[in-house]
Amino acid sequence: DVKVTQSSRYLVKRTGEKVFLECVQDMDHENMFWYRQDPGLGLRLIYFSYDVKMKEKGDIPEGYSVSREKKERFSLILESASTNQTSMYLCASSLIGAQGLYEQYFGPGTRLTVT
Amino acid sequence: TQLLEQSPQFLSIQEGENLTVYCNSSSVFSSLQWYRQEPGEGPVLLVTVVTGGEVKKLKRLTFQFGDARKDSSLHITAAQPGDTGLYLCAGGFEGGSQGNLIFGKGTKLSVKP
């Protein structure tokens, strides 16, 4: 079974703090993704990575950065947390599939509250 | 811009009822996935369909991919409280950006005992 783990299930941070969210997958997947999920807005892609040290901006990258130093680990960094970054953060991984077959496997999520 | 519209947005039914959830787009997908997400958890992959007209069954859940690969449906027979959750559809595009999926906003299902 694919296993994607996230470093924290719940996190409370103060405005202006630097926040690190860690994600690890154990299936040797090439692709890794960070999403945030908010009521009424669905899943929104923040950043993704298709190889070590490679990253691509998603739909809402502002205020975030990422790091992928090892294939199994993808980190999301909030440089200076703000209250509008309070959200559920979800990490996912997938193989580079053939013919558009891209099944993503998600971690349990981190509920981040910025006060 | 590819979009996936899911309907209904919310569904509240009694145990034992049947229901269908729809996922529609004007774009053609090379594959379509259905996920279920329970409160406070990440989405869990239920099924992937890749061929137009394909039907897959998972116990009481039946998934269908439209002939033109632009739409999909999820039918649940005799719903149970354990089916409660957010159902998400997601589409993949051949040649799409490195495995990115387009997600619908989901159908929130509540099954009351």
Side-chain angles (χ1 to χ4, degrees), chain A:
Chain A
D1 273 356
V2 176
K3 195 160 178 72
V4 180
T5 57
Q6 294 184 230
S7 51
S8 304
R9 295 297 304 272
Y10 301 94
L11 213 49
V12 180
K13 296 291 181 180
R14 293 195 180 274
T15 301
E17 280 192 81
K18 193 167 185 176
V19 182
F20 293 88
L21 302 182
E22 303 281 335
C23 175
V24 177
Q25 51 95 3
D26 67 356
M27 285 303 293
D28 202 35
H29 284 172
E30 293 90 354
N31 298 332
M32 296 188 76
F33 306 83
W34 274 107
Y35 295 90
R36 62 178 285 178
Q37 186 177 32
D38 301 287
L41 297 177
L43 282 166
R44 292 183 291 168
L45 182 65
I46 305 171
Y47 267 97
F48 66 99
S49 168
Y50 52 89
D51 202 352
V52 174
K53 297 193 186 294
M54 305 301 288
K55 60 184 179 184
E56 294 284 345
K57 292 180 180 179
D59 300 318
I60 52 162
E62 296 78 19
Y64 303 95
S65 62
V66 289
S67 172
R68 194 164 181 201
E69 296 296 318
K70 292 185 178 182
K71 191 175 184 179
E72 67 271 17
R73 188 179 298 269
F74 193 33
S75 303
L76 179 69
I77 303 145
L78 285 66
E79 296 290 341
S80 177
S82 63
T83 55
N84 63 11
Q85 291 179 310
T86 291
S87 187
M88 174 71 141
Y89 288 87
L90 291 162
C91 174
S93 71
S94 77
L95 290 169
I96 295 178
Q99 299 177 328
L101 181 63
Y102 303 124
E103 298 176 335
Q104 291 187 13
Y105 295 87
F106 285 84
T110 296
R111 172 74 64 186
L112 173 66
T113 302
V114 182
T115 62

Side-chain angles (χ1 to χ4, degrees), chain B residues 87-109:
Chain B
Y87 289 82
L88 295 163
C89 64
F93 296 88
E94 190 168 350
S97 177
Q98 294 293 342
N100 286 8
L101 295 176
I102 305 298
F103 281 86
K105 290 187 178 179
T107 294
K108 194 169 184 180
L109 172 66

